[in-house]
Every structure is written in structure tokens, then in C-alpha cells.
Amino acid sequence: MKIIIGSDHGGYHLKLEIIEHLKGRGFEVVDVGSDSDESTDYPIYAKKLTDAIAGDITANNVDYETLGILVCGTGIGMSMAANKVEGIRAALCHDTFSAEATREHNNANVLCMGARVIGPGLALKVVDTFIDTPFSKDERHVRRISMYS
Ligand code: RB5
């Protein structure tokens, strides 16, 4: 599985910790920026990441081979921007219950977090839970997702 990750300045340092953790787990990680903690605009990186994921879905005709992680100060702006892109279901999660539920029920393909909200220890557990939880594929969840996708 490939994981694409992006941040603004507010999420930059947590993003680096997540990248190190994921590479340590053997994942292919693609960082779309930003490249420092200098002030920037989070929608730039949300768009880069969601375009890359939507492109992978189109190219491979397979959904959810690629997952995304977006980190800003709160995670809120990133989730709002990401959810504007067709094919993207971005979920703002700061706990493992939500991260598990949104993969099982919503088949979320982007995890959003706020580095000013969550510490690195819990953030890495949320990331692992999100990545390791498969979509349930239950008919009711497929039906509900199709009602807004
Ligand atoms: C940047 O100050 C902050 O607004 C941004 O990181 C994010 O929290 C927006 O939702």
C-alpha cells in the first residue's frame, strides 16, 4: 500500500514523525509538502494530495490501494478542502475508535489530524489504526457511501 502525506506549517513536524514511523513499518510514503514550518496555505497541500489519490484510483481502477494523511494545526481546514474533491472521503480523527470506524463504515481514504490537537504518541496510534483497518464491505455501508459519492 502506498501512503501519500501532506501538511501545512502547523502540521509539518508531526508529519515528519508520521513519515519516519510509516517508513519504519515498510510503507512507501510520498510527501507532497510542505517542506518547512514556514507559514503557508493548507489548501495547496490538500489539493496536491487528493489529486494524487484520485489519479491513482483512476489509473489503477482500484479504490483504496492508496491512502492519504493530511496534517494541519487543527485538521479541520484540511478535511474541508480534501472533501471537495470527487472520490475523496476525508475523516478528521483524533482517537482510534473514530479511525477504525471511519475505515470500516465510511471507507475513508484520507485521514486528517491537527498537530495542535493531538500529541505524537496518540497520533501514531491513530495512523496505524486507520491504515490497518479494512473497509467492512457490508452492503449497508456500500449503499450509504454510494448515496453521497
Ligand atoms: C494555520 O494557522 C491553521 O489555520 C491551519 O493549520 C489549520 O488549522 C486550518 O484549519
Side-chain angles (χ1 to χ4, degrees), residues 7 32 40-51 78 81:
S7 72
V32 297
T40 185
D41 301 323
Y42 62 83
I44 296 170
Y45 303 98
K47 186 80 169 73
K48 284 185 184 211
L49 180 139
T50 53
D51 281 352
M78 284 294 200

Side-chain angles (χ1 to χ4, degrees), residues 3-7 12 15-16 19 29-35 45:
I3 297 167
I4 306 178
I5 190 163
S7 72
Y12 177 70
K15 179 182 72 174
L16 296 185
I19 291 171
V29 183
V30 177
D31 182 2
V32 297
S34 69
D35 298 324
Y45 303 98

Side-chain angles (χ1 to χ4, degrees), residues 1 17 25 28 58 67 90 95 107 128 145-146:
M1 179 192 293
E17 293 200 46
R25 286 194 55 189
E28 178 190 357
T58 306
L67 293 177
D95 65 276
N107 208 356
D128 283 344
I145 292 167
S146 76

